[in-house]
Amino acid sequence: MRRIAIYPGSFDPVTYGHLDIIKRAVKIFDKVIVAVAHNSEKEPLFSVPERVELLKKATKGIKGIEVDDFHGLVVDYVRRKNARVVVRGLRMISDFEYEFQMALTNRKLTDDVETIFMMPSEAYSYLSSKLIKEAASLGANLKGFVPGFVEKAIKSKLK
């Protein structure tokens, strides 16, 4: 049986922190599906198709990765993909409370899906997509935070 994990998120935009978690996860699982969530409550910079394309380009060359998008509950998507594990990144202690609530809620919804928390490398532990977008809007150089093509896409969107 193949070990499949789902790494869900908004990925608006994909950062080196996300890519670090993806690279760590493929060392553990046979297949990692990076799943872009349709979330009407957030106001993303990029559309879902744009985020999927940026992720595909960013993960090109990483074996065992599939990029997809989904609507609805993550646990329903996990089941549809015949997976049993949700991978979530924890950057700082401030992420823990929200992620813990989500994991417990998902467990209450279904007891056959587990959540695995992974920490990024220290170099990326402070990165967030929100911070990247804010820095970009103020004219910051994003080298070291996101791939060059992502920086270009962000700056193009912010014009």
Side-chain angles (χ1 to χ4, degrees), residues 72-86:
L73 294 172
V74 72
V75 292
D76 291 339
Y77 179 76
V78 169
R79 282 197 205 115
R80 282 195 309 273
K81 291 297 187 173
N82 295 315
R84 295 232 184 265
V85 177
V86 173

Side-chain angles (χ1 to χ4, degrees), residues 4 9 35 41 54 77 81 89 93 100 138 141 150:
I4 302 169
E41 290 181 19
L54 288 171
Y77 179 76
K81 291 297 187 173
I93 194 76
F100 188 62
L138 297 170
N141 179 336
V150 173

Side-chain angles (χ1 to χ4, degrees), residues 77-115:
Y77 179 76
V78 169
R79 282 197 205 115
R80 282 195 309 273
K81 291 297 187 173
N82 295 315
R84 295 232 184 265
V85 177
V86 173
V87 171
R88 297 295 296 164
L90 284 179
R91 296 171 303 220
M92 298 287 181
I93 194 76
S94 56
D95 288 344
F96 181 76
E97 186 174 0
Y98 173 76
E99 293 294 343
F100 188 62
Q101 287 175 326
M102 291 275 291
L104 291 177
T105 301
N106 286 341
R107 186 183 295 162
K108 189 75 170 174
L109 292 170
T110 181
D111 61 1
D112 63 346
V113 174
E114 290 294 335
T115 300

Side-chain angles (χ1 to χ4, degrees), residues 7 17 20-29 32 86-91 95 115-121:
Y7 180 27
D20 184 63
I21 295 294
I22 291 166
K23 289 174 186 174
R24 290 168 182 270
V26 295
K27 292 178 184 176
I28 301 168
F29 300 98
V32 175
V86 173
V87 171
R88 297 295 296 164
L90 284 179
R91 296 171 303 220
D95 288 344
T115 300
I116 304 284
F117 296 113
M118 298 184 78
M119 296 180 297
S121 296

